[in-house]
Amino acid sequence: MTRKLVANLFYSVDGVASDPHLFQFDSFDASLGQLMTEALGEITDNVLGRVSYQEWAGYWPEATEGPDAGFANFINGTPKHVASRTLTQEELAWENSQLITGDMLDYLRDLKEQPGGTIAVQGSLSVVRQCVEAGLMDELTLIIHPVIAGNGRRLFEGTETQRLTLLRSQSTENGNIIATYGPREN
C-alpha cells in the first residue's frame, strides 16, 4: 500500500503562502487548531526544503515548553527528510534529520512505498510545487485565511495549467476555508 504525501499550507485570499505568521495570527481559531492536531496525528515523516529546514531548526528544538510545545514535540520527534543541493548530512544537526540524496522526486516515490503513515511536506513552497507538478502530492490542503496579505511568495507562479479535484472543504468560526485538493483522475 502506498503512503500518502500531503501538504497543509496557510494561504491568504490573494494567494500568498510565504510567511503566514505575518497575516494569519488573528484568524487562527479553535476549530483550525483541532483540525491541525488531527492532521499531525497521521504524520510519521516530514519533508522540508533547505530554507524551511534552516529556519525551523533554529526555533523548534528550543520551543519544547510554552504555547508551541505541542508542535515542537511533534516536529522534533519525527523523521525529517531534507531536500537540499547545498547542505551536507553533517550540517543537519537537528535530531531525526536525513538529507535527501539523489533526485528528490525519486526519493519521495521510494519513501511512499516504505511502511509508515502519512508523509507531510512542511512549509517548503518549492518542494510542494515540484511534488504537485510531478503528480506525487496526494492531498494539498490550503488553509485560506480571510485576509489579503498584499506581498509574499505564491505557491504557483509561472507553472503550467494543472487540474485538481476538490476532495473536501469546510469553514471555521473565524472565516477560514480549509480546501483539500487531490490530483484529477483522467
Side-chain angles (χ1 to χ4, degrees):
M1 179 176 192
T2 302
R3 298 164 69 184
K4 281 194 318 187
L5 179 65
V6 304
N8 300 292
L9 297 174
F10 297 121
Y11 223 67
S12 69
V13 170
D14 58 336
V16 173
S18 66
D19 301 312
H21 63 283
L22 298 176
F23 62 79
Q24 58 112 239
F25 54 90
D26 62 345
S27 57
F28 204 96
D29 54 40
S31 295
L32 184 53
Q34 179 63 34
L35 290 168
M36 298 299 295
T37 300
E38 290 170 10
L40 292 178
E42 299 175 6
I43 298 168
T44 59
D45 290 84
N46 295 286
V47 179
L48 296 107
R50 179 190 56 82
V51 173
S52 293
Y53 175 84
Q54 289 178 315
E55 289 175 358
W56 288 26
Y59 179 75
W60 292 112
E62 305 302 321
T64 57
E65 295 184 23
D68 292 336
F71 186 76
N73 292 328
F74 158 76
I75 196 71
N76 291 330
T78 54
K80 291 164 281 297
H81 306 269
V82 183
S84 174
R85 292 184 195 97
T86 58
L87 294 174
T88 64
Q89 181 62 48
E90 293 74 31
E91 293 174 289
L92 303 182
W94 191 7
E95 68 179 304
N96 300 313
S97 296
Q98 175 67 44
L99 184 66
I100 294 175
T101 56
D103 181 81
M104 178 192 71
L105 297 175
D106 288 340
Y107 182 97
L108 294 177
R109 282 184 192 97
D110 290 343
L111 187 60
K112 287 179 71 167
E113 296 302 322
Q114 295 174 16
T118 300
I119 305 162
V121 180
Q122 302 287 352
S124 309
L125 300 182
S126 65
V127 173
V128 171
R129 182 173 42 254
Q130 290 174 65
C131 290
V132 170
E133 290 172 349
L136 276 178
M137 187 67 64
D138 298 294
E139 293 185 2
L140 172 63
T141 300
L142 302 178
I143 301 158
I144 306 164
H145 296 285
V147 63
I148 296 170
N151 295 312
R153 285 180 50 214
R154 285 154 175 75
L155 179 57
F156 298 107
E157 292 183 295
T159 60
E160 297 289 321
T161 300
Q162 187 170 356
R163 303 282 182 220
L164 302 173
T165 298
L166 180 65
L167 301 175
R168 60 189 170 277
S169 65
Q170 67 185 93
S171 62
T172 71
E173 60 263 19
N174 283 358
N176 300 294
I177 302 294
I178 298 106
T180 301
Y181 298 93
R184 181 181 245 177
E185 301 295 325
N186 293 329

